[in-house]
Amino acid sequence: MAFKLKTKLLAGFMLLVSLLIVAGSVSILEFMKLSTSFTTILENNYKSIEASKTMLEALEREDSGILLLLLGEWEEGRTILRESDKLFMKAYTVAKNNITEENEAELIADIESKYLQYKEKWARPIVDTFKEGNIDWYQNNAHQEFIQLKKTINQLMTINQESLYEEATILRDNGHRAVMPGIISLIGAIVFSLLLNFYLNQQFISPVKELTKAIKRFNPGDYQVHSKNKSKDEIFQLEVEINDMLKRIARKNDTR
Amino acid sequence: MRLEVIFKILGVVLLFNAAFLFIALVIAYNNQESSLIPLLFTTLICIIFGLFPMVFSGKHEALSFAEGITVVVSGWVITCVIGMLPYLMWGGEFNLIDAWFESVSGYTTTGSTILNDIEALPKSLLFWRSATHWIGGVGIIIFVLLILPHARNARITLLNTEMSELSKSNFHYKARTTIQILIVVYVGLTLIETLLLKLAGMNWFDGINHAFATIATGGFSTKNSSIAYFENVWVEVIIMVFMLLSGIHFGLIFGTITGSRHNIFRSKVVRSYVMIMFLGIILVALKLFINDFYTWSESLRFASFQVISVGTTTGFATVDTAIWPVFTQMVIIYFTIQCAMTGSTSGGLKFDRVYLFIKSVKKQIQLIKHPAGVFAIKMENRTISDSLERQTMLFVVLYVFTFFITTLLLTTMDIDLTTAFSASIATLGNVGPGFGNVSSMGNFDGLPNLAKFILSLNMLLGRLEIYSVIALFTIRK
């Protein structure tokens, strides 16, 4: 198949442009995925992990509050318990409104029921009752509920941390996939340019040089220019036309 | 050297790869896999760079020897570069050097891997890994020669470059017919094995992938524990039979099917090859049984599979041979060095060369006894020329030298001797697994990047049979 120079040049540039368009599109697509992963990590998992941490902190404070009540420090213990309860409920609401993982809803429901049971233990009077100073009551009731609740909250934190890790891995892979087409296209474009340069030299510059040499070698008696150009493109046509022109000159000279 | 002619043939090489990349792309699209874009991008690169030279180049009939060598060596290198792009772009366990290692290992049918978790790969990439084996098995240039238009003379030059003198010995046909026979046997064996593996209980996907890896004597599996995953005696038997067949000269397989006198049963080389392998199996099985590793039937089963797998340079595994007695490991190392027959898809030194080497040693002993005597070496009723004999002896020396140098280089990186020794010989012989940290159930991930790169060059040297690479750097015109 013989292509014209115009077609060859156009094909070369079109292929280069298409490579760059595809690389650009792929990078944009992957960067869009990257942004989705960021949102997933920040909105879905990070919020729940932070809420879990706050719940755990509030629980620890509530535990301290109970111990103060056991020591007869009613006012101080009550204040800590009231504030911690508010803090816990605030964090719990955040976690409840951010259910994104499998089994997360069940865990949230479990936390709610366990917290209500735990709250029941310290909401009733402790000071001036048989519970005050009763470490056995604390060990067998409040502390057990406290440990169970902590376990469930930790489970909630773990599933969100695992998901965060998975998302971070996806994020890393998406980042990698967004960058790689660009790098490969860059190297591809360099190789392509070298290849194009080689063909331009071979198909344009060399034939023109050959033709110039042939014209320089031209002997007025020959009326024929011979170059080594084998391609049937425009430069070959130019050589044919030069030879035709020389023949016409020869014929004109002969008729004189 | 006419670069435009070389570029045009390399373009066809890329387009041939693009066809397999497209199949992987369809798998990725159907399963909505994360490898979709890496495969799409690589396919497009192959098409763009494959079509481009065709726009500029016209018809070219003949190829010079230098051009042929350049096409073959650069064809393999470019193919390996293209083959690594899907891995590199996909990421996961692959970095630049690991992607290159996996690609070279695939195309050269070595089957060594850097992957710790093969099953984490999307199906499309698993297919691409196996496809690289299949493309490289019979030699990508052979495939290209079949589809290359207007290239009768180019075909002869390239065939002479791609296949060694010994490989061509059992082909009594013209270049085009030889290529057609190679492809027919190759495709035929692959189809039959796929069907049998399906009947034995594998699914189509695993069947095709394992058939690709068996017939190409590659060794990439779709499972982390290789063939051991299937725990299926029939699967093992089928794979063993096809590994053995793939290690035999394809011309002889074709001769057997068509009833020619050049067939497997009349070939002395095949007989010796099978007998030595049988002896190896018995020795390994006995040692395993005596050392109370397994029952006798298990010893025979595992020994057969491992010896055939390594002896044909495939590299599949059903057990971890690293825990086997040292004697059995030494027997397996012998088969890693010996490899299978020329004219097959196996790599490495090749049994025919070992056979010729022994005959040549015998001839030299006779010459010492009778200095004035004239002794000729015959193989398959053909007298071996002095030049071919010299070439073979030199190849053996070069092979051992290359293997020694690689081992030496690996030990400079503080790699233990067992790992360095077996990794060098396993990659040069395109076998795959070695011993130590790179055993049949291990991988090459733990090696330093430089070691991986050296071993990948080893694989290419082994696949190109060293001479082609030396010729490329020494031929001026």
Side-chain angles (χ1 to χ4, degrees):
Chain A
M1 204 175 350
F3 291 99
K4 295 283 177 196
L5 284 178
K6 193 180 156 190
T7 319
K8 288 175 182 176
L9 263 181
L10 192 67
F13 284 113
M14 285 301 285
L15 288 172
L16 187 61
V17 166
S18 57
L19 178 75
L20 295 173
I21 288 174
V22 171
S25 312
V26 167
S27 290
I28 290 166
L29 202 72
E30 291 294 339
F31 272 118
M32 279 164 72
K33 280 191 200 167
L34 208 65
S35 131
T36 316
S37 294
F38 268 127
T39 315
T40 313
I41 283 179
L42 290 176
E43 288 186 1
N44 296 355
N45 305 120
Y46 188 68
K47 258 188 191 176
S48 293
I49 291 168
E50 280 301 303
S52 303
K53 278 184 185 170
T54 312
M55 280 192 276
L56 286 172
E57 196 189 320
L59 268 185
E60 292 287 351
R61 282 195 211 165
E62 281 181 19
D63 190 49
S64 308
I66 293 171
L67 288 170
L68 283 170
L69 288 177
L70 281 174
L71 291 171
E73 303 283 343
W74 186 84
E75 205 171 324
E76 205 179 341
R78 271 309 188 197
T79 313
I80 288 174
L81 281 166
R82 212 173 26 251
E83 280 169 4
S84 305
D85 182 45
K86 267 189 199 167
L87 187 69
F88 185 92
M89 288 315 290
K90 198 178 164 189
Y92 172 76
T93 312
V94 171
K96 195 179 177 182
N97 292 332
N98 195 37
I99 296 170
T100 51
E101 305 304 320
E102 209 183 322
N103 301 329
E104 201 174 1
E106 286 84 353
L107 281 172
I108 292 283
D110 203 18
I111 289 170
E112 188 178 10
S113 79
K114 279 179 180 165
Y115 184 68
L116 288 175
Q117 279 175 31
Y118 177 62
K119 197 174 172 180
E120 214 179 270
K121 303 286 180 208
W122 57 258
R124 290 179 185 176
I126 291 175
V127 180
D128 295 335
T129 69
F130 75 97
K131 298 171 195 168
E132 190 179 330
N134 189 345
I135 201 77
D136 288 338
W137 173 83
Y138 171 76
Q139 281 289 353
N140 299 328
N141 291 274
H143 193 64
Q144 288 304 319
E145 302 280 354
F146 167 73
I147 296 287
Q148 290 303 317
L149 187 55
K150 254 179 92 174
K151 254 187 197 173
T152 317
I153 295 170
N154 272 322
Q155 277 178 352
L156 177 74
M157 193 153 72
T158 307
I159 62 163
N160 276 288
Q161 277 171 335
E162 278 171 1
S163 173
L164 184 100
Y165 180 76
E166 277 170 29
E167 281 298 327
T169 312
I170 294 170
L171 199 71
R172 185 200 64 193
D173 289 346
N174 284 351
H176 178 87
R177 280 169 211 148
V179 172
M180 284 319 286
I183 296 172
I184 292 168
S185 299
L186 199 71
I187 298 165
I190 294 168
V191 175
F192 200 89
S193 305
L194 291 172
L195 210 59
L196 193 63
N197 178 57
F198 165 78
Y199 282 118
L200 286 178
N201 186 46
Q202 195 214 28
Q203 308 257 325
F204 299 82
I205 298 163
S206 293
V208 171
K209 278 184 182 170
E210 273 296 319
L211 198 59
T212 314
K213 271 187 201 168
I215 292 168
K216 275 183 184 169
R217 282 198 307 267
F218 168 68
N219 183 344
D222 280 352
Y223 297 111
Q224 189 80 24
V225 168
H226 297 288
S227 77
K228 291 173 188 169
N229 186 19
K230 288 172 187 168
S231 174
K232 303 283 180 220
D233 54 25
E234 286 90 336
I235 295 173
F236 177 78
Q237 283 301 319
L238 179 65
E239 188 181 323
V240 172
E241 289 304 325
I242 290 171
N243 283 328
D244 275 356
M245 184 187 76
L246 289 171
K247 277 177 195 165
R248 284 197 298 275
I249 293 168
R251 271 200 299 274
K252 202 173 178 184
N253 284 347
D254 288 344
T255 52
R256 276 181 187 169
Chain B
M1 204 179 307
R2 294 162 306 162
L3 287 177
E4 68 275 17
V5 185
I6 293 163
F7 289 157
K8 191 182 173 184
I9 300 173
L10 294 180
V12 182
V13 170
L14 291 180
L15 290 176
F16 187 77
N17 276 296
F20 281 86
L21 279 163
F22 184 74
I23 300 171
L25 188 65
V26 171
I27 296 171
Y29 180 76
N30 279 340
N31 299 314
Q32 288 299 301
E33 290 172 345
S34 51
S35 51
L36 182 75
I37 287 174
L39 284 164
L40 174 74
F41 197 68
T42 314
T43 312
L44 283 171
I45 285 184
C46 276
I47 293 172
I48 289 170
F49 280 92
L51 285 178
F52 184 53
M54 290 187 186
V55 176
F56 285 93
S57 303
K59 285 182 190 176
H60 299 283
E61 278 287 327
L63 269 187
S64 69
F65 179 67
E67 286 166 349
I69 285 281
T70 312
V71 165
V72 170
V73 178
S74 54
W76 276 94
V77 174
I78 283 172
T79 296
C80 291
V81 170
I82 285 296
M84 79 171 182
L85 294 184
Y87 305 136
L88 185 62
M89 288 171 76
W90 183 75
E93 284 190 62
F94 296 110
N95 58 30
L96 178 67
I97 198 76
D98 288 344
W100 164 256
F101 184 91
E102 199 76 2
S103 175
V104 177
S105 176
Y107 280 111
T108 56
T109 73
T110 308
S112 306
T113 184
I114 54 89
L115 290 170
N116 289 295
D117 188 4
I118 295 164
E119 288 161 45
L121 248 61
K123 272 187 162 186
S124 49
L125 280 189
L126 286 174
F127 174 81
W128 176 239
R129 273 175 97 230
S130 309
T132 57
H133 267 344
W134 204 75
I135 297 167
V138 80
I140 187 157
I141 302 298
I142 300 287
F143 276 120
V144 170
L145 289 179
L146 193 74
I147 52 176
L148 202 66
H150 320 295
R152 203 178 71 82
N153 292 328
R155 200 177 291 134
I156 295 165
T157 312
L158 285 174
L159 189 68
N160 287 339
T161 322
E162 178 74 341
M163 288 180 82
S164 68
E165 190 63 33
L166 271 173
S167 302
K168 292 195 289 276
S169 62
N170 280 305
F171 286 112
H172 308 273
Y173 313 95
K174 286 180 181 174
R176 188 169 176 79
T177 318
T178 300
I179 295 162
Q180 282 169 341
I181 289 170
L182 272 171
I183 303 294
V184 165
V185 174
Y186 195 59
V187 175
L189 286 175
T190 310
L191 290 175
I192 297 167
E193 195 196 342
T194 306
L195 195 67
L196 289 175
L197 287 175
K198 170 70 186 156
L199 290 174
M202 266 193 193
N203 60 39
W204 281 114
F205 183 76
D206 287 335
I208 291 169
N209 281 287
H210 284 91
F212 273 10
T214 312
I215 305 305
T217 63
F220 278 162
S221 174
T222 52
K223 305 293 174 194
N224 288 331
S225 48
S226 193
I227 306 302
Y229 170 87
F230 298 98
E231 287 183 6
N232 184 330
V233 182
W234 288 110
V235 165
E236 288 172 29
V237 170
I238 293 164
I239 290 177
M240 270 193 278
V241 170
F242 280 88
M243 283 193 292
L244 204 57
L245 281 172
S246 306
I248 292 173
H249 198 291
F250 278 20
L252 292 172
I253 295 177
F254 184 77
T256 313
I257 297 163
T258 54
S260 159
R261 64 190 180 88
H262 299 287
N263 61 45
I264 291 172
F265 305 106
R266 288 170 66 107
S267 165
K268 273 188 188 172
V269 181
V270 173
R271 222 175 296 152
S272 313
Y273 168 65
V274 174
M275 269 175 62
I276 287 178
M277 200 164 275
F278 182 71
L279 183 71
I281 291 169
I282 296 296
L283 286 174
V284 172
L286 269 172
K287 185 67 184 165
L288 289 173
F289 180 64
I290 290 166
N291 282 29
D292 283 334
F293 265 78
Y294 315 103
T295 62
W296 172 244
S297 60
E298 279 176 339
S299 300
L300 201 61
R301 175 181 165 185
F302 296 140
S304 307
F305 195 91
Q306 288 311 131
V307 169
I308 294 175
S309 176
V310 171
T312 55
T313 75
T314 310
F316 279 140
T318 50
V319 277
D320 189 2
T321 48
I323 56 161
W324 280 9
V326 178
F327 171 76
T328 60
Q329 293 186 2
M330 285 311 291
V331 174
I332 289 172
I333 283 178
Y334 166 74
F335 283 101
T336 309
I337 297 167
Q338 178 202 277
C339 307
M341 287 179 67
T342 54
S344 69
T345 55
S346 83
L349 190 58
K350 307 271 171 60
F351 177 73
D352 309 50
R353 290 203 181 92
V354 177
Y355 189 81
L356 185 57
F357 182 82
I358 294 165
K359 285 210 164 199
S360 184
V361 171
K362 274 187 191 169
K363 182 182 151 183
Q364 295 307 318
I365 292 168
Q366 281 177 316
L367 275 170
I368 293 168
K369 284 187 200 165
H370 312 284
V374 178
F375 302 98
I377 297 175
K378 280 199 164 188
M379 264 177 82
E380 309 286 37
N381 298 322
R382 195 172 72 107
T383 306
I384 300 295
S385 66
D386 283 347
S387 69
L388 182 56
E389 188 190 337
R390 271 198 307 276
Q391 210 180 61
T392 307
M393 300 296 270
L394 189 64
F395 184 85
V396 174
V397 173
L398 272 175
Y399 195 84
V400 173
F401 182 71
T402 311
F403 146 67
F404 176 75
I405 292 291
T406 315
T407 309
L408 198 69
L409 287 173
L410 293 190
T411 50
T412 60
M413 290 168 229
D414 294 328
I415 295 169
D416 67 276
L417 187 64
T418 314
T419 307
F421 175 84
S422 62
S424 305
I425 199 68
T427 48
L428 188 63
N430 301 137
V431 176
F435 290 101
N437 297 333
V438 294
S439 70
S440 52
M441 291 289 167
N443 61 58
F444 287 68
D445 183 42
L447 298 183
N449 281 342
L450 185 61
K452 287 179 199 166
F453 184 70
I454 290 169
L455 292 173
S456 66
L457 295 183
N458 234 15
M459 295 178 208
L460 277 170
L461 272 174
R463 186 63 185 81
L464 291 165
E465 303 208 321
I466 307 171
Y467 278 136
S468 306
V469 182
I470 296 172
L472 180 74
F473 293 107
T474 49
I475 291 172
R476 296 241 174 254
K477 281 183 182 178

